Amino acid sequence: MTGDARGWYLVYGKPRQERVARENLERQGFETCLPLIRQRRRHRGRYVITVEPMFPRYLFVRFDAERDHWGSIRSTLGVSGLVRFGSSLAGVPDDLVALLQSRQDPEGVQDLPAPEFRSGAGVRIIEGPLAGYEGIFHAAGGRDRVTVLLHVCGQHTPVQIPPGHLEPLS
């Protein structure tokens, strides 16, 4: 037989137990992929950086569906089951998993790109001395600064801040 007959399949985990499922699947000898993302979340009125699964409750596991003994996956701690479409396991393209893995840093985490703002869009400043103010996105001034127009004393005043300090107004 030529080539590797193993493929990637989708595992549905128990709530907030993706890491437990990954650890226990790897302990059984399965290759896994749990894409993680670093993002900013609001927690008790402050913004904190968290690392969370990119696809909550889902992870990928690699095995040969014809030859490997994969029945134990269902009863693995942290796993609810394998995702199926009818009687077929939900296969995941190798290219997709490779792409997700290629975007990871050495800790296995991806940074989500900062949101792209259009000129004239409403924004809220979420960090720094102007946190809480709302304004109008004016222009990107390079990689580490953007210009926001704030309504101060009856006129729009341009202010330059880091792009990570903004969120779009809903």
Side-chain angles (χ1 to χ4, degrees):
M1 182 172 172
T2 60
D4 189 354
R6 295 181 306 155
W8 288 101
Y9 297 94
L10 194 55
V11 172
Y12 188 61
K14 293 183 177 174
R16 299 194 170 276
Q17 292 192 31
E18 301 90 351
R19 289 176 178 94
V20 171
R22 177 184 60 188
E23 181 181 321
N24 286 297
L25 287 167
E26 288 175 353
R27 192 175 292 144
Q28 294 174 54
F30 291 104
E31 183 179 353
T32 66
C33 176
L34 175 61
L36 300 172
I37 54 172
R38 188 175 293 111
Q39 61 187 33
R40 182 190 329 261
R41 290 240 181 240
R42 192 174 187 105
H43 180 71
R44 296 184 181 174
R46 295 181 47 130
Y47 284 89
V48 295
I49 303 297
T50 62
V51 174
E52 300 175 3
M54 180 180 281
F55 309 109
R57 294 190 71 175
Y58 291 96
L59 65 150
F60 308 110
V61 64
R62 189 171 189 204
F63 59 87
D64 182 339
E66 299 295 321
R67 297 188 174 188
D68 290 340
H69 299 288
W70 49 271
S72 63
I73 293 175
R74 270 186 344 177
S75 59
T76 299
L77 190 62
V79 172
S80 288
L82 283 156
V83 177
R84 296 177 179 268
F85 297 116
S87 62
S88 301
L89 293 174
V92 178
D94 290 348
D95 296 355
L96 173 63
V97 176
L99 176 68
L100 292 170
Q101 290 174 327
S102 73
R103 293 181 175 174
Q104 296 175 350
D105 66 14
E107 288 86 41
V109 181
Q110 297 180 43
D111 287 310
L112 288 180
E116 297 274 332
F117 297 104
R118 288 192 332 250
S119 184
V123 294
R124 177 179 298 113
I125 301 172
I126 58 173
E127 217 170 289
L130 298 173
Y133 283 97
E134 295 178 0
I136 300 168
F137 183 84
H138 182 63
R143 232 181 137 197
D144 56 349
R145 291 283 174 197
V146 296
T147 303
V148 175
L149 301 176
L150 297 180
H151 192 77
V152 180
C153 298
Q155 62 184 16
H156 284 87
T157 304
V159 177
Q160 290 196 342
I161 60 172
H165 289 193
L166 295 180
E167 73 179 5
L169 285 178
S170 356

